[in-house]
């Protein structure tokens, strides 16, 4: 194995990427722990993914985070998948060793941490997941693993939510996982305890939009948005107005990042991080 050369180099790739706070997260950790390492943001447009993969294999970076919309499309470019990433079918972290690329999923762990830290009970509860992209795969996996009674996935393109259902139905025997139509939403909302937005609606160009209207939302619901910039999306604002409990994506983002760092450094370096300080830095930039 090639000895690790300093400085270590990491990046996040995606499109859009301007909103990403991954550089701030990782650079703050490097500063806290006095690590000689760099972290950059790389926008990947059109068919540039294979070029970026070649640069990664050539050693431009020791590891990368992968974000929207490449968490699933990157898989065929990788040499190996960690077993859990294979089960989930989505990759948000890649490590490069001597040009060999292995894909991992740390989003599911970030989302599980979000649930725990915000006291969201999973077992025997009913969930609606809005969207069926890479992030939704990780979230559905985490919910099924923790014993959700039902998980109803609703997506603008039913083919994609059907594919998600096919991939993840076997995570929990006799799973209550279903791919539902947008028209089913009123009934689903009536019966659900928790509604989760996994789409980009509410950030970037879609900043002032919410993926659903407030119809049927009440104080009996918890609304989770995995967006962390802004901290309070339109979706969360309408939930708050209706008296629902609201949770933003900051905890998921933070813990997926720390778990990625553990993978890249090959030990639990995150145990040494002052997480409260890190969260304050991130929240101050996220408004
Ligand atoms: P990520 O890796 O963050 O999950 P992704 O794989 O591109 O990103 O998935 C984004 C999800 O948000 C998809 O389910 C997408 O719907 P489609 O499957 O129909 O493409 C959904 N999405 C994106 N933009 C949307 C919009 N404007 N309205 C509704 N859903 C949207």
């Amino acid at each position: 194995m090639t000895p690790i050369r300093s400085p270590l180099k990491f990046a996040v790739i995606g499109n859009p990427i301007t909103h990403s706070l991954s550089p701030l997260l990782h650079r703050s950790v490097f500063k806290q722990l006095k690590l000689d390492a760099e972290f950059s943001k790389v926008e990947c447009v059109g068919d540039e993914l294979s070029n970026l993969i070649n640069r990664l294999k050539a050693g431009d970076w020791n590891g990368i985070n992968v974000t929207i919309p490449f968490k699933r499309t990157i898989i065929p470019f990788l040499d190996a998948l960690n077993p859990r990433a294979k089960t989930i079918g989505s990759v948000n972290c890649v490590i490069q060793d001597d040009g060999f690329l292995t894909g991992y999923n740390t989003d599911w762990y970030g989302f599980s941490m979000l649930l725990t830290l915000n006291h969201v009970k999973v077992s025997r509860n009913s969930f609606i997941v809005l969207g069926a992209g890479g992030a939704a795969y990780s979230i559905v996996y985490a919910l099924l693993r923790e014993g959700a009674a039902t998980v109803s996935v609703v997506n603008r393109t039913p083919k994609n939510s059907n594919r998600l259902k096919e991939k993840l139905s076997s995570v929990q025997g006799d799973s209550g996982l279903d791919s539902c139509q947008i028209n089913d939403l009123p009934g689903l909302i009536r019966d659900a305890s928790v509604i989760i937005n996994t789409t980009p609606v509410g950030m970037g160009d879609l900043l002032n939009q919410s993926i659903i209207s407030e119809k049927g939302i009440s104080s009996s619901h918890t609304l989770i948005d995995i967006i962390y910039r802004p901290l309070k999306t339109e979706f969360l604002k309408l939930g708050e107005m209706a008296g629902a409990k609201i949770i933003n994506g900051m905890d998921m983002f933070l813990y997926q990042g720390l778990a990625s760092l553990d993978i890249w450094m090959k030990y639990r370096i995150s145990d040494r991080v002052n997480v409260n300080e890190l969260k304050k830095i991130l929240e101050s930039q996220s408004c």
Side-chain angles (χ1 to χ4, degrees):
M1 194 181 300
T2 317
I4 293 182
R5 282 188 301 260
S6 285
L8 295 171
K9 291 187 178 168
F10 304 101
V12 57
I13 69 158
N15 186 13
I17 197 69
T18 40
H19 73 281
S20 174
L21 287 182
S22 286
L24 180 65
L25 187 163
H26 289 286
R27 287 176 195 158
S28 303
V29 172
F30 300 156
K31 195 166 161 195
Q32 269 189 14
L33 303 183
K34 298 186 172 54
L35 286 179
D36 187 13
E38 297 169 2
F39 199 102
S40 53
K41 243 183 225 187
V42 181
E43 190 183 45
C44 180
V45 277
D47 54 2
E48 269 178 20
L49 186 59
S50 65
N51 289 344
L52 289 178
I53 294 289
N54 288 339
R55 286 180 60 191
L56 179 60
K57 277 181 175 282
D60 278 17
W61 302 288
N62 300 86
I64 58 167
N65 274 143
V66 182
T67 188
I68 193 167
F70 301 112
K71 289 177 177 177
R72 285 177 46 74
T73 48
I74 197 167
I75 291 175
F77 293 93
L78 304 175
D79 299 304
L81 279 187
N82 155 276
R84 202 186 305 264
K86 192 169 186 177
T87 303
I88 298 173
S90 168
V91 162
N92 68 302
C93 173
V94 179
I95 184 167
Q96 180 269 119
D97 270 314
D98 284 340
F100 189 89
L101 307 184
T102 309
Y104 287 80
N105 185 299
T106 66
D107 273 346
W108 80 273
Y109 170 75
F111 189 71
S112 280
M113 286 299 289
L114 174 150
L115 295 172
T116 304
L117 294 170
N118 294 282
H119 313 289
V120 180
K121 184 175 163 282
V122 178
S123 75
R124 296 196 292 278
N125 262 343
S126 295
F127 293 78
I128 299 173
V129 173
L130 303 166
Y137 277 69
S138 312
I139 285 164
V140 169
Y141 171 83
L143 293 173
L144 293 176
R145 192 175 170 270
E146 293 189 23
T150 63
V151 179
S152 306
V153 181
V154 180
N155 193 44
R156 68 178 175 186
T157 313
K159 173 171 66 88
N160 293 343
S161 44
N162 292 343
R163 194 183 298 151
L164 184 156
K165 181 186 172 184
E166 234 168 73
K167 171 75 181 162
L168 293 176
S169 280
S170 58
V171 168
Q172 202 191 37
D174 191 26
S175 92
L177 176 59
D178 210 353
S179 164
C180 305
Q181 304 290 325
I182 291 176
N183 292 344
D184 298 335
L185 265 174
L188 292 171
I189 290 174
R190 210 170 32 244
D191 296 340
S193 343
V194 184
I195 307 169
I196 305 162
N197 175 39
T198 75
T199 76
V201 180
M203 65 180 234
D205 293 343
L206 307 170
L207 188 68
N208 295 316
Q209 297 179 32
S210 168
I211 184 77
I212 54 169
S213 75
E214 71 285 2
K215 264 198 203 128
I217 310 278
S218 72
S219 58
S220 68
H221 290 108
T222 296
L223 265 55
I224 303 175
D225 202 323
I226 67 163
I227 294 172
Y228 59 86
R229 198 179 195 189
L231 287 171
K232 204 183 279 181
T233 57
E234 289 300 313
F235 171 71
L236 293 186
K237 281 183 198 163
L238 69 81
E240 189 175 48
M241 297 275 284
K245 175 175 172 169
I246 59 167
I247 302 167
N248 65 46
M250 187 54 86
D251 286 326
M252 177 180 177
F253 170 65
L254 209 156
Y255 283 93
Q256 67 72 33
L258 292 177
S260 297
L261 199 63
D262 288 344
I263 289 165
W264 296 328
M265 303 305 281
K266 301 183 176 153
Y267 72 106
R268 283 192 60 99
I269 192 170
S270 60
D271 287 347
R272 293 167 38 205
V273 172
N274 181 336
V275 177
N276 288 336
E277 188 193 347
L278 189 58
K279 197 167 169 179
K280 268 192 216 142
I281 294 170
L282 293 169
E283 284 177 345
S284 72
Q285 292 300 310
S286 200
C287 41

